[in-house]
Amino acid sequence: SVVSSAEPGRYRYRLLVAFQPSKQEREFRGRLQLMVTAVQGGKEIHLQLPQAKDPAADYLLEMRHFLRKEGNIALPAGARIKSVEARILQGGNLKAKQLFNY
């Protein structure tokens, strides 16, 4: 599951990422990006994580086959999650994405 409510305005995500190594690439190094769509006061808001205040290391991915990644999402007061798109990036290239609707 990607998102579960821990307390008002705070959500926890859990991802399992798989990588199939090749002869050229034995391990994957990249980063996770979360695109969060939420509703606050009847209006749709969009957040891109990590934000400038977030530690970049929390979103780095290094794996040979599988990696479990967990973290937290904080939303503005009164906002609720509508969807989350998890993106896996390597350099500036999008390698994979998955959309989760709530």
Side-chain angles (χ1 to χ4, degrees):
S1 74
V2 169
V3 180
S4 62
S5 181
E7 59 185 67
R10 298 207 33 100
Y11 294 82
R12 183 162 188 77
Y13 66 86
R14 282 182 284 183
L15 300 170
L16 179 63
V17 183
F19 171 69
Q20 186 172 353
S22 66
K23 289 183 181 182
Q24 292 83 20
E25 286 186 287
R26 295 210 179 269
E27 64 181 30
F28 178 85
R29 291 173 191 253
R31 62 187 173 94
L32 170 66
Q33 182 181 71
L34 299 174
M35 304 300 291
V36 180
T37 301
V39 177
Q40 180 184 30
K43 293 184 180 180
E44 202 169 81
I45 60 172
H46 302 277
L47 301 171
Q48 179 178 319
L49 302 173
Q51 294 179 333
K53 64 182 167 92
D54 297 327
D58 289 353
Y59 292 86
L60 293 180
L61 304 174
E62 292 185 14
M63 72 185 111
R64 290 184 185 240
H65 296 285
F66 297 98
L67 177 68
R68 185 178 311 270
K69 194 73 175 171
E70 297 184 15
N72 294 304
I73 298 171
L75 294 181
R80 65 174 178 77
I81 288 184
K82 183 176 176 183
S83 68
V84 176
E85 183 176 79
R87 297 177 177 176
I88 306 295
L89 303 163
Q90 188 175 41
N93 299 321
L94 178 66
K95 293 294 188 176
K97 66 180 179 177
Q98 178 78 43
L99 178 66
F100 303 89
N101 291 305
Y102 298 93

